[in-house]
Amino acid sequence: MHSVQKISENIYWVGGNDRRLERFENMFPIPNGVCYNSFLILDEKTALMDTVDTAISRLFIENITHVLNGRDLDYLVINHMEPDHCANIEELVKRYPNIKIVGNKKTFQFIGQFYDFDYSMNMLEVKDGETLCLGRHNLKFMTVPMVHWPEVMFTYEETEKILFSADAFGTFGALAGNIFCDETDYDHYYLEEARRYYSNIVGKYGQQVQSALKKLKDYEVNMICSLHGPIWRENLPYILNKYDKWSKYEPEKNGVVLVYASMYGNIENTINVIANKLAQKGVKDMRVYDISKTHPSYIISDIWKYSHVIFGSVTYNMGLYYGMESLLNEIKALNMQNRKVGLVGSGTWSPQSVKIMQEIIGSMKNMDIVGEPFEVTSSMKQEQEEVVDKFVEDFFKSIN
Ligand code: FEO
């Protein structure tokens, strides 16, 4: 049985959900599942905007067949060639041999890399700014490289002013029947996951996202259709402003994320002492994470959100506990910047963790180390309280 919805008079949502997948990209936990959007435009010509992941191919084909109702599929626009969206290209060419696949030069390079079938008669290569008329609808293609892969395009439908935005403005989380953001409790159900999706998947490419946002300034947009998550048709500045902030690596609010890597609870205790002292000074909205317990994607998402972060790590094999090392290297790889950072370490002999964390944080852009980093020898003793208090005082001052 098909599962389609109209998004406007002649445009249909033909995507679907996956609530079984454990990890997106086999890396990121998705407790609320994920959706793969695809949109079908019926006009003098028919055009499908992207395909879906292989997990929901059967439903997808059923959806398309139902909407086409015997018509041929004239165009398949590929805005993004990552396999969560392009798993059905060969199947569509087999079913609709006259179909033209619309993509840019890079799109076709990637189709050739992922697929092994002859699509030479089905290619329609477009360049940035070119248009394709379907009848009443007119598609304009904008290349937006590295949002999130080099071949990515936005497609803007000029008549209804709908932006098909590839991964941009999307989120983890399956759709629960409601396909429009304004029909959901977005702030409570999707926002945290939208931030986790952005920061971990696209976060590295802030500069390119900024370029894409600048391109969009020339267009009036009534609706944003991302490949993941619900559709934006109201209050578009909400998500555009979030993307502007996220891609400039600007924190959304004052607050502290405290992350520790602790073997026997000693650096954990130190972090708890610091959090309690900050709370007593009036700091609100702090998050404390055990790096061994919480998937780093959630921690990274909160580092994206908040202005301050404190890392506490035990020394391990004369280096860093590898969960912490991996987190720090990942936020560096994602180009995280513009945060105030506190560092504390521990070790029983020859502690190294503060030194190593300082080196990693020091190699990142606009990451200011505040408060005097300190090491705890084995466990924190009462006589160290003065050092902790000084650290907390200095850290607190940088928040306000
Ligand atoms: Fe949803 Fe970059 O793929």
Side-chain angles (χ1 to χ4, degrees), residues 256 258 269-283 286 308 310 342-344 370-374 380 384-400:
V256 187
L258 300 99
N269 176 242
T270 308
I271 288 290
N272 279 327
V273 167
I274 292 169
N276 286 347
K277 284 179 182 290
L278 286 170
Q280 285 167 56
K281 283 185 171 294
V283 177
M286 289 187 282
H308 288 64
I310 297 173
L343 299 174
V344 295
V370 293
E372 189 62 41
F374 64 93
M380 197 164 62
Q384 213 167 4
E385 190 165 24
E386 211 174 297
V387 173
V388 178
D389 283 344
K390 178 78 172 67
F391 173 87
V392 168
E393 183 59 33
D394 291 345
F395 202 80
F396 176 72
K397 276 188 206 149
S398 77
I399 300 172
N400 296 285

Side-chain angles (χ1 to χ4, degrees), residues 24-25 80 82 84-85 148-149 167 197 201 227-228:
F24 185 79
E25 293 185 353
H80 188 13
E82 192 161 3
D84 54 332
H85 308 295
H148 140 238
W149 277 17
D167 280 338
Y197 176 83
I201 309 283
L227 289 173
H228 300 288

Side-chain angles (χ1 to χ4, degrees), residues 117-132:
F117 73 100
D118 182 11
Y119 53 87
S120 56
M121 301 304 289
N122 302 93
M123 292 170 60
L124 177 58
E125 190 175 312
V126 292
K127 292 191 172 61
D128 185 41
E130 285 186 354
T131 58
L132 174 65

Side-chain angles (χ1 to χ4, degrees), residues 213-232:
L213 291 174
K214 280 198 187 83
K215 265 189 176 179
L216 285 183
K217 282 198 164 59
D218 296 336
Y219 297 86
E220 190 186 336
V221 178
N222 291 337
M223 207 183 278
I224 298 177
C225 297
S226 170
L227 289 173
H228 300 288
I231 298 162
W232 290 92

Side-chain angles (χ1 to χ4, degrees), residues 7 12 93 136 148 175 204 214 248 260 301 370 399:
I7 70 163
Y12 294 77
V93 172
R136 203 174 71 81
H148 140 238
L175 300 176
K204 181 178 180 66
K214 280 198 187 83
K248 285 177 180 161
Y260 62 83
S301 182
V370 293
I399 300 172

